[in-house]
Amino acid sequence: MALKLHVDTHRGVETAFGKIIPEKEAYSYCLRTIAAFSANLFQAMRVVNDDWEDRTAKITEIANMMNCAACAGSPDELFDYLNAFYDEWNIPELVDRQAWIGAIWGDYGDEAEDMAGRVIQFTKDRVEKELDTCPWDIVGSEMCNMTTGMFTANFDIASGGQHGAITNDVALNMCEARGCGNPHCRVVAERLDKFGGEHQGWLDHRNQCTQPVHDTPPERRVRHAQGLRNGQYTQTFGEEQSLEWQYNWVAQMGWTWSVSFPLIAIRDMADSDEELDRIFKIVFSTAGKNSFIDPFAREGLRNWLDIPREIGDNDPRVMGAYIGAIMGCQLVPFEWEAFDKDGVIIKVSTDDFNGRFPMAPLDEITMGYEAQWHNAVKTLVSPEWSVWIDGKDDEYQYINVGRRIDDRMA
């Protein structure tokens, strides 16, 4: 019996100190950091608009409209879009292509974002999806309503009966939500003509469904979606997507639906863009300072990044390594321009940093992270250090961890 010639090669993200974060762990961390950014954004929204109903209706409407964008154009363009979708997902011609096919979009989105669970029922008239986990469960109830309302667009698009008109022929409800204290997220789609339902308004997507639900016993629940459990997602008709493909997809689209879509509505809620930017920075600054307020949080980060003991606590490389891990796990390419006890400089393409989804670049990513990291370094390392970003309007921007005196330090 011969030994292996070498150890297996594993994908992963290399930290500043040479530790490899395995691909699956990096993938999970990527999802959670995007969710955390989204949670900060939603806090800013609650400051500018204290009316739950009003802000929830506005972000749900915008998200639905943006998701319906694929319906734009002529009837031929719509059917070209649908036929490409059917081909991509291996949906045979004999399948009754009714609105329920829209659930395939939602099911894959859940799986790609590690919203682990199972489809309980998947028929022409009713779809029930039960989720045991959700990285976005920290964002808030407004998002729970927004995502369900947003995905009515997928059902409308897939029905195709009126060339992309908003037929709204399915009642889509998140009747349970982990972010609201339930053990599951549970989304149920029921056809109106079958169950006698009424057309839904923007605030109706948290209603209860008409038919009984199935509650999976705890011993059969899962911690991760198929991509992390099996290395790939297998769709209803046998089409497969690898974890590698999912990772890149969600690193782009996670920002789009959880930051870009609601941000459009939130900017309209504020008195001005300048006012929202001011509140935005305050919220992210507070999140940064609280990230490492506890000593065990700082020690936990050192252990996770495998920071050598010769690197003391009051060393900018600790913060630099943390920023590098976030960017690496989010699949953002960067270069170390400086990395020593006097400071850290990270070079990154501005388009790469802000353009996670190339069609919808977000300058707010730079704005938010600059405020958050500048204040995180105060508790992770020392108040003596600051983080700032140079070259925001240039081809490359430079993330600095260094000493900077400011009599009005915020």
Side-chain angles (χ1 to χ4, degrees):
M1 181 176 180
L3 297 176
K4 290 183 177 180
L5 295 177
H6 53 77
V7 296
D8 294 334
T9 301
H10 296 285
R11 295 178 183 271
V13 173
E14 185 174 4
T15 72
F17 299 103
K19 177 184 176 180
I20 300 298
I21 301 174
E23 181 181 28
K24 291 184 177 181
E25 183 180 343
Y27 175 80
S28 294
Y29 186 62
C30 171
L31 298 178
R32 200 61 163 175
T33 54
I34 298 173
F37 195 101
S38 179
N40 292 340
L41 171 65
F42 273 60
Q43 290 295 82
M45 175 187 69
R46 294 168 191 132
V47 175
V48 300
N49 188 339
D50 63 359
D51 188 317
W52 187 93
E53 286 79 7
D54 183 64
R55 64 181 183 249
T56 301
K58 286 178 177 176
I59 62 171
T60 303
E61 180 180 13
I62 286 293
N64 179 275
M65 289 171 57
M66 297 300 292
N67 222 27
C68 279
C71 293
S74 67
D76 288 342
E77 288 174 326
L78 171 63
F79 288 119
D80 285 345
Y81 178 89
L82 289 173
N83 287 331
F85 169 73
Y86 299 142
D87 290 342
E88 178 183 2
W89 287 104
N90 196 35
I91 301 174
E93 291 79 2
L94 298 178
V95 170
D96 187 1
R97 294 177 173 180
Q98 294 287 339
W100 65 268
I101 292 178
I104 294 175
W105 269 299
D107 181 56
Y108 175 69
D110 290 342
E111 290 287 333
E113 286 154 355
D114 201 23
M115 297 177 184
R118 63 208 56 82
V119 176
I120 303 297
Q121 185 178 2
F122 200 22
T123 68
K124 173 182 175 180
D125 297 319
R126 189 176 189 273
V127 179
E128 179 181 344
K129 179 71 181 288
E130 180 186 63
L131 300 172
D132 301 331
T133 64
C134 172
W136 274 264
D137 55 14
I138 57 174
V139 178
S141 59
E142 300 97 332
M143 173 169 276
C144 300
N145 189 91
M146 183 200 85
T147 54
T148 315
M150 176 177 69
F151 276 105
T152 60
N154 295 76
F155 285 84
D156 289 331
I157 293 169
S159 65
Q162 298 183 34
H163 309 309
I166 306 305
T167 54
N168 201 8
D169 54 0
V170 171
L172 190 60
N173 289 306
M174 185 175 289
C175 49
E176 298 176 36
R178 282 182 54 81
C180 298
N182 297 112
H184 298 288
C185 291
R186 189 183 306 277
V187 181
V188 180
E190 295 175 322
R191 291 186 61 86
L192 302 181
D193 57 2
K194 173 68 175 181
F195 297 100
E198 298 181 356
H199 290 295
Q200 292 179 302
W202 298 125
L203 295 177
D204 297 333
H205 294 287
R206 295 296 311 282
N207 294 337
Q208 295 301 307
C209 53
T210 62
Q211 298 294 296
V213 300
H214 172 80
D215 193 47
T216 300
E219 63 271 14
R220 289 181 50 211
R221 298 172 190 172
V222 293
R223 294 183 58 190
H224 292 292
Q226 289 184 38
L228 289 177
R229 298 201 314 269
N230 308 326
Q232 66 184 23
Y233 165 67
T234 303
Q235 170 258 3
T236 307
F237 297 100
E239 196 67 23
E240 297 175 348
Q241 296 287 1
S242 68
L243 175 63
E244 178 183 356
W245 190 93
Q246 288 183 32
Y247 195 163
N248 181 270
W249 182 86
V250 80
Q252 297 183 56
M253 297 307 297
W255 294 96
T256 304
W257 71 268
S258 68
V259 177
S260 180
F261 286 2
L263 185 59
I264 296 170
I266 295 169
R267 286 212 171 276
D268 286 339
M269 297 178 199
D271 293 337
S272 66
D273 283 350
E274 292 75 18
E275 177 66 4
L276 178 59
D277 289 350
R278 185 182 71 85
I279 294 169
F280 191 92
K281 292 175 184 177
I282 292 171
V283 170
F284 276 80
S285 296
T286 303
K289 277 185 178 166
N290 281 282
S291 296
F292 300 100
I293 201 70
D294 298 305
F296 58 77
R298 301 196 295 274
E299 190 62 29
L301 180 71
R302 292 189 67 105
N303 289 337
W304 183 54
L305 296 178
D306 202 16
I307 299 175
R309 281 301 160 189
E310 56 265 27
I311 304 294
D313 290 334
N314 189 12
D315 191 303
R317 287 172 286 188
V318 177
M319 186 67 195
Y322 172 54
I323 294 173
I326 291 175
M327 293 172 62
C329 291
Q330 291 180 2
L331 303 183
V332 178
F334 65 91
E335 298 175 13
W336 300 105
E337 290 281 298
F339 192 82
D340 56 43
K341 62 182 179 58
D342 297 317
V344 173
I345 302 175
I346 301 172
K347 178 183 177 181
V348 59
S349 161
T350 303
D351 285 346
D352 290 342
F353 195 80
N354 293 330
R356 311 304 173 92
F357 181 58
M359 294 178 63
L362 291 165
D363 293 342
E364 288 80 6
I365 296 180
T366 290
M367 184 196 311
Y369 272 135
E370 183 177 42
Q372 184 169 340
W373 291 339
H374 171 63
N375 287 274
V377 76
K378 307 297 183 182
T379 50
L380 175 60
V381 184
S382 166
E384 303 165 40
W385 298 95
S386 297
V387 175
W388 67 93
I389 300 178
D390 292 327
K392 300 183 186 71
D393 298 323
D394 300 331
E395 182 180 0
Y396 290 97
Q397 57 188 34
Y398 297 85
I399 304 168
N400 297 268
V401 185
R403 297 183 184 274
R404 173 179 274 189
I405 302 299
D406 181 355
D407 291 340
R408 299 191 179 188
M409 185 74 71

